[in-house]
Amino acid sequence: EVQLVESGGGLVQPGGSLRLSCVVSGFNFTTSWMSWVRQAPGKGLEWVANIKQDGSERYYADSVKGRFTISRDNAKKSLYLQMNTLRGDDTAVYYCARVEGGFDPWGQGTLITVSS
Amino acid sequence: SYELTQPPSVSVSPGQTARITCSGDSLPKQYAYWYQQRPGQAPVLLIYKDSDRPSGIPERFSGSRSGTRVTLTISGVQAEDEADYYCQSTDSSGTYKIFGGGTKLTVL
């Protein structure tokens, strides 16, 4: 069974940091581009970042560039998102997803709330 | 910046056909993908590479393209199809992923 399980969400103050994790099973993680996508409450989907199979290429949305870092550990079949200098507009559900042109499959998401 | 434009809402009666459009200047050069998101759930890929359907997706979902516009067609709409639908593509460089604003499908 294909599974992506995110963790690490929670409440953080503005300016704070948080690290999200996504553990995958049921498909070949090491041969897959991976991505983070977020969705603010009541809003649409927003792509956040992509990472190549070996981590040699990483791309970010302008809204998070310089503040967020995507990384992966192929031995642990895990994807990460280090989020620094968090702002209120970073409040969202964060999903990890495999990238094969489109995003498929998706995890269930983890909620980040940035508030004082 | 590159944008994909969808209608905010579409309404249709059960058994009818729903069409949801998505427009963007880079669409002629890049594939489009469609996702369904039911309330409280993660998105699910419905259509990939403009018109292909992943296994397990009902045949009533189909995708097509014409120039700078792609269309998701849902034939014989059912109550369970009430959801938000998003198109997605890539900028002209093929690097940055973009989502449309989403369309809420209401089944009357």
Side-chain angles (χ1 to χ4, degrees), chain A residues 35 37 39 43-47 50 59-62 65 95 99-104 106-109, chain B residues 1 33 35 37 40-45 48-49 54 84 86 88 90 95-102:
Chain A
S35 185
V37 176
Q39 185 171 35
K43 302 296 184 183
L45 300 170
E46 180 188 16
W47 168 73
N50 276 357
Y59 302 100
Y60 299 91
D62 288 344
K65 199 173 296 182
Y95 297 99
V99 183
E100 289 199 345
F103 301 98
D104 179 58
W106 299 61
Q108 86 289 348
Chain B
S1 63
Y33 302 79
Y35 303 86
Q37 187 180 33
Q41 297 185 19
V44 172
L45 180 67
Y48 66 99
K49 292 184 178 179
D84 293 326
Y86 294 90
Q88 177 255 311
T90 309
T95 300
Y96 301 96
K97 310 294 187 181
I98 302 290
F99 287 95

Side-chain angles (χ1 to χ4, degrees), chain A residues 6 20 34-50 59-65 67-68 70 81 83 86-97 99 103 106 109-110 112, chain B residues 1-4 6 35 37 43 85-89 95-102:
Chain A
E6 301 96 335
L20 306 183
M34 296 296 297
S35 185
W36 289 97
V37 176
R38 69 183 181 183
Q39 185 171 35
K43 302 296 184 183
L45 300 170
E46 180 188 16
W47 168 73
V48 173
N50 276 357
Y59 302 100
Y60 299 91
D62 288 344
S63 57
V64 306
K65 199 173 296 182
R67 300 187 301 122
F68 290 11
I70 188 171
L81 187 67
M83 304 184 293
L86 284 161
R87 311 184 305 219
D89 60 0
D90 294 318
T91 294
V93 174
Y94 285 72
Y95 297 99
C96 64
V99 183
F103 301 98
W106 299 61
T110 186
I112 311 303
Chain B
S1 63
Y2 179 45
E3 292 184 352
L4 295 176
Q6 298 179 235
Y35 303 86
Q37 187 180 33
Y85 292 85
Y86 294 90
C87 64
Q88 177 255 311
S89 189
T95 300
Y96 301 96
K97 310 294 187 181
I98 302 290
F99 287 95

Side-chain angles (χ1 to χ4, degrees), chain A residues 2-55:
Chain A
V2 174
Q3 272 197 314
L4 298 87
V5 180
E6 301 96 335
S7 61
L11 176 64
V12 60
Q13 292 189 337
S17 298
L18 212 55
R19 188 195 196 207
L20 306 183
S21 300
C22 171
V23 179
V24 313
S25 59
F27 67 88
N28 194 338
F29 181 75
T30 58
T31 62
S32 302
W33 277 81
M34 296 296 297
S35 185
W36 289 97
V37 176
R38 69 183 181 183
Q39 185 171 35
K43 302 296 184 183
L45 300 170
E46 180 188 16
W47 168 73
V48 173
N50 276 357
I51 186 167
K52 195 177 178 180
Q53 293 90 335
D54 62 358

Side-chain angles (χ1 to χ4, degrees), chain B residues 12-86:
Chain B
V12 65
S13 299
Q16 299 300 305
T17 296
R19 292 180 179 85
I20 299 173
T21 60
C22 174
S23 304
D25 288 343
S26 284
L27 279 177
K29 306 186 189 79
Q30 301 291 346
Y31 284 123
Y33 302 79
W34 289 95
Y35 303 86
Q36 178 192 64
Q37 187 180 33
R38 295 192 172 105
Q41 297 185 19
V44 172
L45 180 67
L46 279 182
I47 298 289
Y48 66 99
K49 292 184 178 179
D50 294 346
S51 57
D52 289 337
R53 205 171 39 249
S55 61
I57 300 301
E59 290 184 8
R60 65 179 183 275
F61 292 94
S62 63
S64 61
R65 135 188 316 268
S66 176
T68 60
R69 174 179 289 190
V70 292
T71 301
L72 172 70
T73 300
I74 311 171
S75 304
V77 167
Q78 302 178 7
E80 67 192 48
D81 298 332
E82 188 162 283
D84 293 326
Y85 292 85
Y86 294 90

